Amino acid sequence: PIVKTEGKEANDTFIEQLIANAEAAIDKAVELGVTDRKHVAVSGHSYGGFMTANLLANSRLFAAGIAESGAYNRTLTPFGFQNERRSFWEAPDVYLTMSPFVKADKLKTPILLIHGLADNNTGTFTVQSERLYTALKGNGGIVRLVLLPYESHSYVAKESILHQAWETWQWLEKYVKNR
């Protein structure tokens, strides 16, 4: 969870809380003996995809990531998003800090981006993944962009779901299992 702290809005400390949450989860999995710290991936869809990209841009906790249908440049959602009610002009530092696009030069962990070509969610138009892909490629990142034809924000076609599963399997085999 990302929670509000005294004197601050929740998103004012979003990155710190996100990383602390991920570290705690990994630490517990290692303590329980169910994972190897060097072979952990992170994945998410929509806001989870956005969080995945942020974790990879701001930490070295994961071997790889898979981000689906996310919003990676928060300046493209300038009138708020999720629980952020302030506009870009009221809290520009929050929008920039929370945008993994701005940190494309620092995101060196392999990331698979998957997005529906017909995404009709106003915060997650396909251009979000296309631009992050270009920024990462331009900065030497390890990235793959998979665009699913005729799919909106949630994928429904059997062919798309199977393709998504295959891409995910291949990515995890290459960058996590056989790291």
Side-chain angles (χ1 to χ4, degrees):
I2 306 298
V3 297
K4 186 175 182 177
T5 56
E6 192 173 325
K8 295 186 178 197
E9 294 298 319
N11 286 334
D12 293 342
T13 58
F14 174 83
I15 299 296
E16 297 83 359
Q17 290 187 62
L18 183 65
I19 292 169
N21 290 337
E23 285 176 328
I26 293 169
D27 288 347
K28 188 63 175 180
V30 169
E31 178 188 318
L32 292 171
V34 296
T35 197
D36 170 358
R37 189 178 303 279
K38 294 180 182 172
H39 293 90
V40 178
V42 61
S43 177
H45 182 88
S46 193
Y47 201 71
F50 160 72
M51 293 173 94
T52 294
N54 260 309
L55 281 165
L56 299 184
N58 292 287
S59 75
R60 297 289 175 258
L61 296 171
F62 300 95
I66 301 156
E68 302 171 3
S69 298
Y72 310 110
N73 182 345
R74 283 298 171 191
T75 67
L76 298 178
T77 59
F79 293 103
F81 53 90
Q82 295 299 108
N83 291 322
E84 181 55 62
R85 300 297 169 235
R86 298 170 291 184
S87 75
F88 170 76
W89 298 275
E90 294 170 296
D93 291 344
V94 170
Y95 280 72
L96 292 172
T97 300
M98 290 180 70
S99 294
F101 174 83
V102 175
K103 298 173 185 150
D105 61 327
K106 296 181 179 35
L107 201 161
K108 299 302 181 191
T109 304
I111 185 170
L112 172 62
L113 301 172
I114 302 174
H115 215 116
L117 268 171
D119 194 330
N120 63 356
N121 182 315
T122 58
T124 59
F125 288 137
T126 310
V127 70
Q128 289 273 5
S129 288
E130 292 170 333
R131 295 296 183 255
L132 181 60
Y133 171 81
T134 302
L136 292 170
K137 262 310 204 194
N139 281 289
I142 300 169
V143 60
R144 177 169 171 78
L145 175 61
V146 176
L147 298 174
L148 302 172
Y150 310 111
E151 293 293 357
S152 187
H153 191 63
S154 296
Y155 321 138
V156 296
K158 181 172 103 175
E159 296 83 357
S160 296
I161 293 167
L162 291 172
H163 188 78
Q164 170 195 21
W166 183 85
E167 290 282 355
T168 298
W169 177 266
Q170 295 300 307
W171 197 257
L172 295 174
E173 285 285 311
K174 184 173 185 177
Y175 293 108
V176 180
K177 180 181 177 187
N178 297 314
R179 181 176 185 200

